[in-house]
PDB file of all heavy atoms in Angstrom:
ATOM      1  N   LEU A  55       4.504  15.848 -11.829  1.00  0.00           N
ATOM      2  CA  LEU A  55       4.717  14.400 -11.768  1.00  0.00           C
ATOM      3  C   LEU A  55       5.800  14.108 -10.734  1.00  0.00           C
ATOM      4  O   LEU A  55       6.911  14.624 -10.825  1.00  0.00           O
ATOM      5  CB  LEU A  55       5.145  13.866 -13.133  1.00  0.00           C
ATOM      6  CG  LEU A  55       5.401  12.357 -13.208  1.00  0.00           C
ATOM      7  CD1 LEU A  55       4.082  11.598 -13.256  1.00  0.00           C
ATOM      8  CD2 LEU A  55       6.254  12.011 -14.423  1.00  0.00           C
ATOM      9  N   VAL A  56       5.462  13.268  -9.758  1.00  0.00           N
ATOM     10  CA  VAL A  56       6.390  12.941  -8.674  1.00  0.00           C
ATOM     11  C   VAL A  56       6.765  11.465  -8.764  1.00  0.00           C
ATOM     12  O   VAL A  56       5.892  10.600  -8.918  1.00  0.00           O
ATOM     13  CB  VAL A  56       5.764  13.243  -7.298  1.00  0.00           C
ATOM     14  CG1 VAL A  56       6.787  12.991  -6.187  1.00  0.00           C
ATOM     15  CG2 VAL A  56       5.240  14.668  -7.247  1.00  0.00           C
ATOM     16  N   SER A  57       8.054  11.179  -8.663  1.00  0.00           N
ATOM     17  CA  SER A  57       8.507   9.794  -8.768  1.00  0.00           C
ATOM     18  C   SER A  57       9.823   9.658  -8.008  1.00  0.00           C
ATOM     19  O   SER A  57      10.234  10.567  -7.283  1.00  0.00           O
ATOM     20  CB  SER A  57       8.686   9.408 -10.247  1.00  0.00           C
ATOM     21  OG  SER A  57       8.850   8.014 -10.397  1.00  0.00           O
ATOM     22  N   ASN A  58      10.454   8.482  -8.122  1.00  0.00           N
ATOM     23  CA  ASN A  58      11.832   8.358  -7.649  1.00  0.00           C
ATOM     24  C   ASN A  58      12.710   8.068  -8.858  1.00  0.00           C
ATOM     25  O   ASN A  58      12.206   7.744  -9.944  1.00  0.00           O
ATOM     26  CB  ASN A  58      11.955   7.299  -6.539  1.00  0.00           C
ATOM     27  CG  ASN A  58      11.740   5.879  -7.028  1.00  0.00           C
ATOM     28  OD1 ASN A  58      12.201   5.480  -8.097  1.00  0.00           O
ATOM     29  ND2 ASN A  58      11.038   5.077  -6.229  1.00  0.00           N
ATOM     30  N   PRO A  59      14.024   8.194  -8.754  1.00  0.00           N
ATOM     31  CA  PRO A  59      14.874   8.084  -9.938  1.00  0.00           C
ATOM     32  C   PRO A  59      14.744   6.764 -10.683  1.00  0.00           C
ATOM     33  O   PRO A  59      14.768   6.746 -11.920  1.00  0.00           O
ATOM     34  CB  PRO A  59      16.287   8.262  -9.366  1.00  0.00           C
ATOM     35  CG  PRO A  59      16.107   9.080  -8.136  1.00  0.00           C
ATOM     36  CD  PRO A  59      14.799   8.622  -7.554  1.00  0.00           C
ATOM     37  N   THR A  60      14.601   5.662  -9.961  1.00  0.00           N
ATOM     38  CA  THR A  60      14.508   4.358 -10.625  1.00  0.00           C
ATOM     39  C   THR A  60      13.228   4.241 -11.437  1.00  0.00           C
ATOM     40  O   THR A  60      13.256   3.833 -12.607  1.00  0.00           O
ATOM     41  CB  THR A  60      14.574   3.229  -9.569  1.00  0.00           C
ATOM     42  OG1 THR A  60      15.782   3.341  -8.826  1.00  0.00           O
ATOM     43  CG2 THR A  60      14.518   1.868 -10.242  1.00  0.00           C
ATOM     44  N   ILE A  61      12.107   4.578 -10.824  1.00  0.00           N
ATOM     45  CA  ILE A  61      10.823   4.487 -11.524  1.00  0.00           C
ATOM     46  C   ILE A  61      10.778   5.492 -12.669  1.00  0.00           C
ATOM     47  O   ILE A  61      10.284   5.189 -13.763  1.00  0.00           O
ATOM     48  CB  ILE A  61       9.657   4.727 -10.548  1.00  0.00           C
ATOM     49  CG1 ILE A  61       9.605   3.625  -9.483  1.00  0.00           C
ATOM     50  CG2 ILE A  61       8.329   4.793 -11.297  1.00  0.00           C
ATOM     51  CD1 ILE A  61       9.460   2.224 -10.037  1.00  0.00           C
ATOM     52  N   PHE A  62      11.295   6.690 -12.435  1.00  0.00           N
ATOM     53  CA  PHE A  62      11.280   7.701 -13.496  1.00  0.00           C
ATOM     54  C   PHE A  62      12.076   7.224 -14.708  1.00  0.00           C
ATOM     55  O   PHE A  62      11.671   7.450 -15.856  1.00  0.00           O
ATOM     56  CB  PHE A  62      11.840   9.023 -12.974  1.00  0.00           C
ATOM     57  CG  PHE A  62      11.613  10.169 -13.914  1.00  0.00           C
ATOM     58  CD1 PHE A  62      10.443  10.904 -13.855  1.00  0.00           C
ATOM     59  CD2 PHE A  62      12.555  10.497 -14.883  1.00  0.00           C
ATOM     60  CE1 PHE A  62      10.215  11.951 -14.754  1.00  0.00           C
ATOM     61  CE2 PHE A  62      12.342  11.540 -15.770  1.00  0.00           C
ATOM     62  CZ  PHE A  62      11.164  12.266 -15.699  1.00  0.00           C
ATOM     63  N   LYS A  63      13.190   6.553 -14.451  1.00  0.00           N
ATOM     64  CA  LYS A  63      14.008   6.042 -15.559  1.00  0.00           C
ATOM     65  C   LYS A  63      13.210   5.062 -16.416  1.00  0.00           C
ATOM     66  O   LYS A  63      13.310   5.062 -17.648  1.00  0.00           O
ATOM     67  CB  LYS A  63      15.254   5.371 -15.000  1.00  0.00           C
ATOM     68  CG  LYS A  63      16.180   4.795 -16.070  1.00  0.00           C
ATOM     69  CD  LYS A  63      17.406   4.153 -15.442  1.00  0.00           C
ATOM     70  CE  LYS A  63      18.307   3.514 -16.489  1.00  0.00           C
ATOM     71  NZ  LYS A  63      19.487   2.847 -15.872  1.00  0.00           N
ATOM     72  N   HIS A  64      12.418   4.215 -15.768  1.00  0.00           N
ATOM     73  CA  HIS A  64      11.631   3.219 -16.501  1.00  0.00           C
ATOM     74  C   HIS A  64      10.412   3.843 -17.203  1.00  0.00           C
ATOM     75  O   HIS A  64      10.128   3.522 -18.360  1.00  0.00           O
ATOM     76  CB  HIS A  64      11.123   2.139 -15.541  1.00  0.00           C
ATOM     77  CG  HIS A  64      12.163   1.140 -15.145  1.00  0.00           C
ATOM     78  ND1 HIS A  64      12.881   0.397 -16.052  1.00  0.00           N
ATOM     79  CD2 HIS A  64      12.600   0.753 -13.910  1.00  0.00           C
ATOM     80  CE1 HIS A  64      13.714  -0.407 -15.403  1.00  0.00           C
ATOM     81  NE2 HIS A  64      13.570  -0.208 -14.113  1.00  0.00           N
ATOM     82  N   TYR A  65       9.680   4.712 -16.487  1.00  0.00           N
ATOM     83  CA  TYR A  65       8.347   5.092 -16.960  1.00  0.00           C
ATOM     84  C   TYR A  65       8.065   6.593 -16.984  1.00  0.00           C
ATOM     85  O   TYR A  65       7.009   7.006 -17.456  1.00  0.00           O
ATOM     86  CB  TYR A  65       7.282   4.415 -16.078  1.00  0.00           C
ATOM     87  CG  TYR A  65       7.450   2.919 -16.019  1.00  0.00           C
ATOM     88  CD1 TYR A  65       7.861   2.285 -14.844  1.00  0.00           C
ATOM     89  CD2 TYR A  65       7.217   2.126 -17.144  1.00  0.00           C
ATOM     90  CE1 TYR A  65       8.027   0.905 -14.799  1.00  0.00           C
ATOM     91  CE2 TYR A  65       7.386   0.751 -17.101  1.00  0.00           C
ATOM     92  CZ  TYR A  65       7.797   0.152 -15.923  1.00  0.00           C
ATOM     93  OH  TYR A  65       7.958  -1.216 -15.882  1.00  0.00           O
ATOM     94  N   GLY A  66       8.995   7.401 -16.490  1.00  0.00           N
ATOM     95  CA  GLY A  66       8.722   8.830 -16.386  1.00  0.00           C
ATOM     96  C   GLY A  66       8.452   9.515 -17.711  1.00  0.00           C
ATOM     97  O   GLY A  66       7.479  10.259 -17.853  1.00  0.00           O
TER      98      GLY A  66
END
Side-chain angles (χ1 to χ4, degrees):
L55 180 77
V56 184
S57 192
N58 69 41
T60 302
I61 296 302
F62 191 88
K63 180 179 177 182
H64 283 304
Y65 305 111

